[in-house]
Amino acid sequence: MNQIERPRSGRSASLEERVRNGIRMWQTELPQLDSSGKEVCGRVVALAGVLNQMFNDALAAFDLKYHEYGVLATLRASGAPHSLTQKQLLETILFSSGGMSNLLTRLEKKGLITRESDTEDRRVMHVRLSETGLAVASDAMAIQSGTETAFCAVLSEAEREALISGLGKLLDAAREF
């Protein structure tokens, strides 16, 4: 393990240093493997953890986790009457459907949403922001937007556009896996 780059001055390794060290280890021990994908994916995985923690910290003032916020923000962004069917919600949010029912139950217990069966098809469930949920979603969206903007401020406009394009291609390619 002598190929690991040690941080200077006793500080812990940055995430970038940790990713580079991991890639260097792969390249040293398994040079026959193409690690070029790891150059991107390792950084995306590291960023996912950072973003999740950063968002949860920003949303703590609202007693929300990022997944809960995602539901509220999606309903808020859908426009008046801030209601979607559960199926529409699942097709719009940026996370998987696992646990959606429990998530909605938590939001309902907090008084942030209501759920109602469709009058014509009882199998269809409508999810709607409550008045409290609308206020919380609006306030939380302002904080979340500011957090994202501040985080991305380190990038130039050209870097943001290149990153948007590249990540968009990866997301489109993800459907193939």
Side-chain angles (χ1 to χ4, degrees), residues 69-80:
Y69 163 80
V71 169
L72 298 180
T74 300
L75 290 168
R76 173 65 180 91
S78 72

Side-chain angles (χ1 to χ4, degrees), residues 22-86:
I23 292 166
R24 191 175 303 110
M25 290 167 59
W26 273 61
Q27 291 168 339
T28 300
E29 292 300 317
L30 302 158
Q32 71 278 14
L33 295 180
D34 179 0
S35 60
S36 62
K38 188 166 281 313
E39 296 272 358
V40 173
C41 293
R43 287 170 174 86
V44 170
V45 169
L47 272 174
V50 168
L51 290 173
N52 192 49
Q53 185 62 53
M54 186 174 61
F55 294 159
N56 283 338
D57 291 348
L59 296 166
F62 301 97
D63 190 29
L64 293 174
K65 295 291 186 193
Y66 184 63
H67 282 72
E68 295 169 321
Y69 163 80
V71 169
L72 298 180
T74 300
L75 290 168
R76 173 65 180 91
S78 72
H82 310 294
S83 177
L84 295 171
T85 67
Q86 191 165 328

Side-chain angles (χ1 to χ4, degrees), residues 76-98:
R76 173 65 180 91
S78 72
H82 310 294
S83 177
L84 295 171
T85 67
Q86 191 165 328
K87 182 179 179 186
Q88 289 171 322
L89 192 56
L90 283 168
E91 291 172 347
T92 309
I93 59 175
L94 298 177
F95 43 88
S96 70
S97 62

Side-chain angles (χ1 to χ4, degrees), residues 4-177:
I4 294 179
E5 182 180 306
R6 303 272 182 220
R8 295 183 296 269
S9 71
R11 65 175 173 77
S12 60
S14 70
L15 285 175
E16 175 60 20
E17 290 167 330
R18 290 167 58 189
V19 169
R20 279 197 316 260
N21 283 335
I23 292 166
R24 191 175 303 110
M25 290 167 59
W26 273 61
Q27 291 168 339
T28 300
E29 292 300 317
L30 302 158
Q32 71 278 14
L33 295 180
D34 179 0
S35 60
S36 62
K38 188 166 281 313
E39 296 272 358
V40 173
C41 293
R43 287 170 174 86
V44 170
V45 169
L47 272 174
V50 168
L51 290 173
N52 192 49
Q53 185 62 53
M54 186 174 61
F55 294 159
N56 283 338
D57 291 348
L59 296 166
F62 301 97
D63 190 29
L64 293 174
K65 295 291 186 193
Y66 184 63
H67 282 72
E68 295 169 321
Y69 163 80
V71 169
L72 298 180
T74 300
L75 290 168
R76 173 65 180 91
S78 72
H82 310 294
S83 177
L84 295 171
T85 67
Q86 191 165 328
K87 182 179 179 186
Q88 289 171 322
L89 192 56
L90 283 168
E91 291 172 347
T92 309
I93 59 175
L94 298 177
F95 43 88
S96 70
S97 62
M100 177 58 78
S101 182
N102 289 334
L103 177 60
L104 294 177
T105 297
R106 284 195 309 273
L107 291 171
E108 194 169 34
K109 284 181 181 177
K110 290 180 179 185
L112 301 174
I113 64 161
T114 59
R115 291 187 282 184
E116 301 170 4
S117 295
D118 189 90
T119 55
E120 294 179 19
D121 186 347
R122 306 267 313 147
R123 296 171 297 174
V124 175
M125 183 66 62
H126 293 273
V127 181
R128 180 185 316 267
L129 283 177
S130 66
E131 285 187 36
T132 301
L134 179 61
V136 168
S138 296
D139 291 345
M141 288 171 82
I143 297 297
Q144 179 69 13
S145 177
T147 301
E148 292 167 343
T149 300
F151 181 73
C152 293
V154 68
L155 299 171
S156 70
E157 184 65 31
E159 288 170 325
R160 274 193 299 279
E161 289 176 15
L163 192 55
I164 290 166
S165 176
L167 290 173
K169 287 179 183 178
L170 288 173
L171 287 171
D172 284 341
R175 289 188 295 174
E176 304 299 319
F177 288 90

